[in-house]
Amino acid sequence: MTFSTLERFLRYVAIDTRADDASSSCPSTPGQLVLMRVLVNDLTALGLADVSMDEHGYVMATVPATTAKAHVPTIGFVAHVDTSPEMPGKDVAPIVHERYDGRDLVLPDDPTAVLRPAEDAALAACLGHDIVTASGLTLLGADDKAGVAAIMAAVEYLVAHPEIAHGTVRVCFTPDEEIGRGADHFDVGRFGAICAYTLDGGGAGELEWESFSADAMTVTFKGFNTHPGYARGRMVNAIKLAADLIHRLPADTLSPETTADYEGYVHPYVIDASVDRTAVRLLIRDFTVAGLEAKEAMIEELARAVVAPYPQASVELRITESYRNMRDILEGYPEVIECAREAIRRTGLTPIERPIRGGTDGSRLSFMGLPTPNLFASEHNFHSRLEWTSVQEMNQAAETIVHLCRIWEERST
Ligand SMILES: [Zn+2]
């Protein structure tokens, strides 16, 4: 199979779609709408009839069924158009390093930005591939324009090959995944699929269907402020209470910097401080709700111990749910995962299944009634100026999509 991923990818990364947390509009930035309109045009050019963009910028389209069977379910493919706010995404100048020969890749606009296969096993494994990087000053945007390109190329292939029997295939391109809002306005009912696959993963063969469960916790210390010249025996400094809490956190465990695989953590990441009142914001992560609750109970116990010696001081704790492990839902739909494994194998790859130490739009979509695991799209070093992708891996992602459409048809009546 041959796919048009590279040509599409190069066009899509030229558009600045950096998301902006500070904006309350949807999409958060106008560049995302520019790319959405390009995708509407591209889908229309492929001959799809019902291409639509809603008022929030979500683009949906349908590849009509080609099967003669009556009970083939509708499945969907989803990718996000925005890029991380952590890195500049304007004036991306992609470079295609054809038939990669294993040398260090020095990015020309900043010679200190160097991709070294000795430090990057995934790159070393892509010998002979066409590698795409940025030029050193920006991210590349493979997260997730590699996924967008893979879906578009697969749609093009399906349209050009009506002899491939498949059911109705829905595609959706979403905004603002990187700021956690990608599922906010996703109309699951209108999408109308029994399951979907996000194309937003790493190297060839990756299949992800477990994610963190996540809560946000705010611990607010109230102290007692008075003129510091006359404060003896009276002042209780809330900044010092907060510092005491941070100090009491375990040094060797339960932090992002000391955990991996299935271990969760507590992560203080913002402190809003004054003598009178200091709020510590923490991210709580685990793969089970029981694990989250245990960590939250630990924080509460430590915080109460901090204020216990001070009758004038108090502490308030607030917990808000962020997202939940999609495994809780996907376990109920083993065929969704099994079809993905089979599609990866038919592409000539071995499925690599690892828990995501984070969340994806699929975590939220799964809980909104659309079971959605995540497939590889050749995203490497994402959110970094050393971001890169492989054209061959993008093509394998597109091929996996085509196989998935076939497999769901074969398994239906
Ligand atoms: Zn992504």
Side-chain angles (χ1 to χ4, degrees):
M1 298 186 205
T2 54
F3 295 100
S4 61
T5 54
L6 178 60
E7 175 273 323
R8 293 180 184 281
F9 180 75
L10 296 177
R11 276 196 292 127
Y12 303 156
V13 298
I15 301 166
D16 178 10
T17 59
R18 186 182 186 174
D20 179 7
D21 216 347
S23 158
S24 60
S25 64
C26 181
S28 64
T29 49
Q32 296 182 57
L33 278 181
V34 175
L35 177 48
M36 291 294 196
R37 285 193 202 102
V38 167
L39 294 171
V40 166
N41 288 337
D42 284 2
L43 288 161
T44 307
L46 291 177
L48 304 195
D50 67 342
V51 183
S52 71
M53 180 162 78
D54 70 17
E55 73 266 37
H56 302 292
Y58 290 63
V59 170
M60 289 189 186
T62 306
V63 184
T66 54
T67 182
K69 295 180 179 176
H71 302 291
V72 182
T74 298
I75 63 168
F77 297 93
V78 177
H80 66 91
V81 303
D82 61 307
T83 62
S84 170
E86 293 167 46
M87 282 292 293
K90 192 174 179 308
D91 301 324
V92 172
I95 302 166
V96 183
H97 311 263
E98 285 179 14
R99 289 178 297 281
Y100 178 55
D101 61 4
R103 67 191 185 280
D104 288 356
L105 296 175
V106 182
L107 305 188
D109 291 345
D110 179 355
T112 67
V114 184
L115 274 160
R116 295 186 174 88
E119 298 165 358
D120 187 338
L123 181 62
C126 284
L127 222 58
H129 289 206
D130 301 320
I131 303 295
V132 188
T133 65
S135 61
L137 302 178
T138 67
L139 48 59
L140 174 64
D143 176 9
D144 184 20
K145 289 164 186 170
V148 175
I151 292 173
M152 289 297 302
V155 165
E156 178 179 13
Y157 190 91
L158 288 172
V159 169
H161 293 272
E163 73 280 8
I164 296 175
H166 60 80
T168 303
V169 177
R170 292 282 276 160
V171 300
C172 181
F173 299 111
T174 60
D176 290 329
E177 190 266 356
E178 298 289 357
I179 53 175
R181 301 180 197 161
D184 283 6
H185 300 284
F186 193 108
D187 189 337
V188 170
R190 195 163 77 83
F191 195 53
I194 63 143
C195 69
Y197 300 86
T198 47
L199 273 286
D200 194 14
E206 283 185 20
L207 164 62
E208 296 164 322
W209 55 285
E210 287 184 82
S211 61
F212 267 148
S213 283
D215 281 348
M217 194 168 184
T218 306
V219 181
T220 305
F221 291 101
K222 291 195 178 118
F224 181 75
N225 197 8
T226 182
H227 189 293
Y230 305 92
R232 186 165 68 184
R234 297 177 65 212
M235 178 188 281
V236 181
N237 188 336
I239 296 174
K240 292 182 180 174
L241 297 176
D244 191 6
L245 172 69
I246 306 295
H247 183 68
R248 289 178 194 229
L249 294 176
D252 307 326
T253 58
L254 295 183
S255 65
E257 61 271 30
T258 58
T259 51
D261 305 321
Y262 281 101
E263 297 167 320
Y265 57 72
V266 300
H267 176 44
Y269 71 106
V270 171
I271 296 183
D272 182 9
S274 68
V275 174
D276 184 56
R277 189 177 176 283
T278 293
V280 182
R281 278 154 58 190
L282 302 105
L283 302 178
I284 315 293
R285 297 289 184 268
D286 202 276
F287 285 90
T288 66
V289 171
L292 281 182
E293 287 169 352
K295 288 172 184 62
E296 288 155 5
M298 177 194 76
I299 298 291
E300 173 159 12
E301 193 180 319
L302 294 176
R304 300 221 179 273
V306 164
V307 297
Y310 308 101
Q312 317 93 305
S314 63
V315 64
E316 245 172 48
L317 297 105
R318 198 164 49 100
I319 296 166
T320 49
E321 178 177 322
S322 303
Y323 55 85
R324 289 290 175 259
N325 187 346
M326 59 176 145
R327 179 186 180 142
D328 299 351
I329 300 297
L330 289 170
E331 270 175 340
Y333 300 88
E335 70 280 14
V336 174
I337 310 298
E338 197 37 60
C339 288
R341 288 188 187 114
E342 177 59 18
I344 289 168
R345 283 188 213 107
R346 284 196 200 177
T347 306
L349 302 165
T350 305
I352 302 164
E353 297 175 42
R354 266 193 229 113
I356 310 175
R357 291 178 60 80
T360 70
D361 277 349
S363 316
R364 299 247 328 269
L365 291 173
S366 293
F367 282 87
M368 288 162 66
L370 184 67
T372 307
N374 187 37
L375 285 170
F376 72 96
S378 192
E379 298 168 25
H380 299 278
N381 296 340
F382 43 84
H383 304 189
S384 157
R385 59 203 179 121
L386 295 181
E387 197 185 7
W388 61 273
T389 190
S390 149
V391 176
Q392 282 72 14
E393 284 188 332
M394 280 196 284
N395 289 342
Q396 287 172 321
E399 187 177 338
T400 300
I401 293 171
V402 172
H403 287 309
L404 258 170
C405 296
R406 266 196 186 129
I407 290 164
W408 274 97
E409 195 272 345
E410 290 169 11
R411 295 186 175 200
S412 305
T413 54

